[in-house]
Every structure is written in structure tokens, then in C-alpha cells.
């Protein structure tokens, strides 16, 4: 499935490669900011060195601007790559449907094919954009921030090793429960499109036989089913927020508690504690971004499977034993012919 979808990247490979590179540079400059802040507090403010404050302050401003620039470039190329990928995928789907026989179309239904070329492709596009940008940013941020925290204080960094498995387990449970519901939702979307399509095509018949209430009832029934399924799925996904907040605030409290004791015992400086808290936000925000990516992949996975079904379908229309590909010139010359 992934191989077939990757073939649709086509001429947008350059943008797809540049996006993670710019993300990497953005993360490197962003991770350097708390480290510079620690030196600014310890070597500049606490020491009363104005020259050090000026130098580190300028370095912080430059790092922030560079990080902003790389972030803008990453966002631009991610948008270009994902929209181009969706364009190619939609075109491939359209060409595949053009070769279908009536039996192939009836197997999927017209409403289902419309949903797959619109809603499903859009879901895949959003997932692809998050994969080439956020899915690269989060691991880079997580790894570099952990390296920096361990270089500052290995003891305090053990807090993250206790929280990360808790988050990973919770995320796995959320995804495993939500994915089957999204699969069911997209099948219900097909039914909704079918109801709307039948109503619009037969609108004269519906009005002639006064069947408006019946059609409204059909539409309401399908819409309610979609509402119930989406509500259930979103309630499951909503556990991400409290779980992440609990982890973030627990980590900050533990680091602040143990860090304050280490400052009193002169094994940690004030600047290092501030940078540790900053890295805590970066590490747990990267985990939050990863959870968002997994949620988007969970939603788009069902869409991707539906799209691949269409691409894998073989048309019932076949050429004969000796097909004729060259069409002869059927031009006829008229001489001495008058039309009146």
C-alpha cells in the first residue's frame, strides 16, 4: 500500500526531501535556545556581566530568527509536496475509474467512488503533510532535547525515562480503539453520498409522489449514524489531551522539586534548571505532536485502504485477441455535390 501511494509523489520529490531538511535545521536552532538561556542567566545575569548579556542576547535573537526562517520554509515545501501528492493521487484514481466497466463501478457504487476521490484523498494529503513535517520534527526534537538534558543533569533526566513509556502505552491504546471506528465512518460516508445522489437524481419523482419526508428520514438516519460514530471516536481521541497535560505537569513538578534541592546543594545552577524546564516543554510537546501524527495516520489509514482498493481493481474491459490500435482515415471526397 505504501509503495503504491509513494509512486504518486512524482515531480514533488524535491519538496518532500527539502521539508525534513529544513525541519532538522529548525529543530537544531530551537534546541540551542534554552542552552543559551542557561548561560545568559548563570554567566550574565547572576554574574552581573553586561557584555556577556549583550552577546548571548544577540545570539538568542539570531537563533530565534533562523529557527523562524527554517520553519517558514519547511511549512511552504510541506504544503507544496502534500498538495502535489494529492493531485497526482486523485488523477491516478480518476484515470483508473475511466477504465472501469459498469460492473466495476457497481461493485464500489458511484457514491463510494466520489467519496474516495474527495474525502479520502484529502485525509491522505493531510496525513502526508504531517508525516514529512511533524513526524520528522517530533523525533528530532525528542532526541536532541534528551541529549541536552542528559548533558546538563543525568539524574533529573531520569524523570523523562519514567514518563515516556506511560505516554507510549496510552497512545497505543487510544489508536487501537479509534481505528476500527474510523473505518466504519468512511463506509457510512458512502451511504450518505448515495442517499443524497439518489434524492437529487430523482427529485422530480420524489416531489411528484410527495416522498420528501421519506427522503428526509433516510438522510437523518445516515447523518445520525455518522454523528454517533464520530462522537465515539473523538471521545476516545480526547484522552490524548489530559494524558499529555498530566505528563507535562508531573514532569515539571518533579524537575522543579528535585532541581530546587540540587540548587541548594550546589549541584545545579539556576540557569540549568530553567533550561531543563524549557527542554521538558520541548520533549513533551514533541510527544504531543507524535500523538497528533498517529491520530492523523489512524484516520487516513482507513482512507488509504479504500483508495488502494480502487487502484488494485482490474477492469472487466479487455482487448480482443487481435486489437486494432491504428484507425484508418475515413475521409470521403465529394465531387459535384450541392446542398439546398
Amino acid at each position: 500500500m505504501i509503495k503504491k501511494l509513494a509512486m504518486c509523489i512524482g515531480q514533488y520529490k524535491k519538496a518532500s526531501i527539502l521539508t525534513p531538511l529544513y525541519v532538522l535545521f529548525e529543530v537544531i536552532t530551537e534546541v540551542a535556545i534554552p542552552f543559551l538561556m542557561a548561560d545568559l542567566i548563570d554567566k550574565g545575569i547572576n554574574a552581573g556581566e553586561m557584555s556577556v548579556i549583550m552577546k548571548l542576547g544577540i545570539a538568542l535573537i539570531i537563533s530565534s530568527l533562523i529557527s523562524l526562517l527554517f520553519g517558514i520554509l519547511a511549512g511552504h515545501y510541506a504544503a507544496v509536496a502534500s498538495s502535489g501528492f494529492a493531485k497526482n493521487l486523485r488523477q491516478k484514481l480518476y484515470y483508473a475509474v475511466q477504465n472501469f466497466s459498469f460492473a466495476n463501478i457497481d461493485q464500489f457504487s458511484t457514491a463510494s467512488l466520489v467519496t474516495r476521490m474527495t474525502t479520502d484523498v484529502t485525509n491522505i494529503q493531510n496525513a502526508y503533510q504531517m508525516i514529512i513535517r511533524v513526524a520528522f520534527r517530533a523525533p528530532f526534537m525528542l532526541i536532541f532535547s534528551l541529549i541536552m538534558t542528559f548533558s546538563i543533569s543525568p539524574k533529573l533526566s531520569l524523570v523523562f525515562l519514567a514518563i515516556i513509556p506511560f505516554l507510549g502505552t496510552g497512545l497505543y491504546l487510544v489508536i487501537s480503539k479509534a481505528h476500527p471506528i474510523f473505518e466504519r465512518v468512511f463506509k457510512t460516508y458512502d451511504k450518505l453520498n448515495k442517499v443524497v445522489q439518489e434524492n437529487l437524481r430523482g427529485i422530480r419523482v420524489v416531489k411528484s409522489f410527495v416522498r420528501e419526508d421519506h427522503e428526509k428520514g433516510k438522510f437523518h438516519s445516515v447523518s445520525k449514524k455518522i454523528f454517533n460514530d464520530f462522537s465515539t471516536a473523538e471521545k476516545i481521541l480526547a484522552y490524548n489531551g489530559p494524558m499529555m497535560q498530566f505528563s507535562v505537569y508531573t514532569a515539571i513538578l518533579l524537575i522543579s522539586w528535585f532541581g530546587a534541592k540540587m540548587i541548594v546543594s550546589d549541584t545545579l545552577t539556576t540557569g540549568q534548571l530553567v533550561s531543563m524546564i524549557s527542554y521538558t516543554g520541548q520533549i513533551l510537546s514533541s510527544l504531543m505532536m507524535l500523538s497528533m501524527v498517529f491520530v492523523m495516520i489512524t484516520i487516513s489509514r482507513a482512507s488509504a485502504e479504500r483508495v488502494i482498493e480502487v487502484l488494485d481493481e482490474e477492469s472487466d474491459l479487455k482487448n480482443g485477441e487481435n486489437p486494432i490500435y491504428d484507425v484508418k482515415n475515413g475521409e470521403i471526397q465529394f465531387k459535384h455535390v450541392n446542398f439546398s
Side-chain angles (χ1 to χ4, degrees), residues 4 7-8 88-96 311:
K4 286 193 175 183
M7 290 172 64
C8 296
N88 292 340
L89 180 59
R90 197 175 289 111
Q91 185 182 56
K92 196 170 183 179
L93 275 171
Y94 186 78
Y95 287 170
L311 296 178

Side-chain angles (χ1 to χ4, degrees), residues 50-213:
M50 197 62 193
S51 59
V52 176
I53 293 173
M54 290 295 295
K55 288 178 182 178
L56 291 175
I58 293 170
L60 278 169
I61 293 171
I62 294 172
S63 298
S64 301
L65 292 175
I66 292 173
S67 178
L68 176 63
L69 175 63
F70 284 131
I72 293 171
L73 290 172
H76 170 74
Y77 282 105
V80 171
S82 60
S83 57
F85 167 72
K87 182 197 75 172
N88 292 340
L89 180 59
R90 197 175 289 111
Q91 185 182 56
K92 196 170 183 179
L93 275 171
Y94 186 78
Y95 287 170
V97 172
Q98 291 301 304
N99 294 325
F100 282 175
S101 66
F102 289 115
N104 294 125
I105 294 174
D106 290 339
Q107 180 179 341
F108 291 103
S109 82
T110 306
S112 178
L113 290 173
V114 170
T115 306
R116 293 171 199 238
M117 281 193 284
T118 51
T119 305
D120 288 330
V121 172
T122 302
N123 288 334
I124 296 171
Q125 175 185 347
N126 294 334
Y128 183 68
Q129 183 174 7
M130 293 192 75
I131 287 170
I132 61 174
R133 190 181 182 190
V134 181
F136 276 90
R137 175 185 168 83
F140 286 151
M141 180 70 76
L142 181 64
I143 292 168
F144 289 142
S145 297
L146 280 174
I147 291 171
M148 296 302 290
T149 54
F150 274 98
S151 66
I152 293 172
S153 176
K155 289 183 179 179
L156 277 180
S157 302
L158 294 176
V159 172
F160 302 118
L161 298 182
I163 290 176
I164 290 174
F166 166 75
L167 281 174
T169 305
L171 186 60
Y172 171 77
L173 292 173
V174 167
I175 291 173
S176 61
K177 296 290 184 182
H179 176 66
I181 300 174
F182 282 114
E183 283 185 336
R184 189 167 66 244
V185 164
F186 291 121
K187 290 179 181 177
T188 313
Y189 264 130
D190 295 342
K191 294 179 182 178
L192 179 67
N193 283 346
K194 186 177 180 181
V195 169
V196 174
Q197 191 177 34
E198 288 176 348
N199 186 39
L200 292 175
R201 281 185 176 178
I203 190 66
R204 294 179 184 274
V205 179
V206 170
K207 288 185 176 295
S208 299
F209 289 91
V210 196
R211 300 286 287 173
E212 291 95 335
D213 292 339

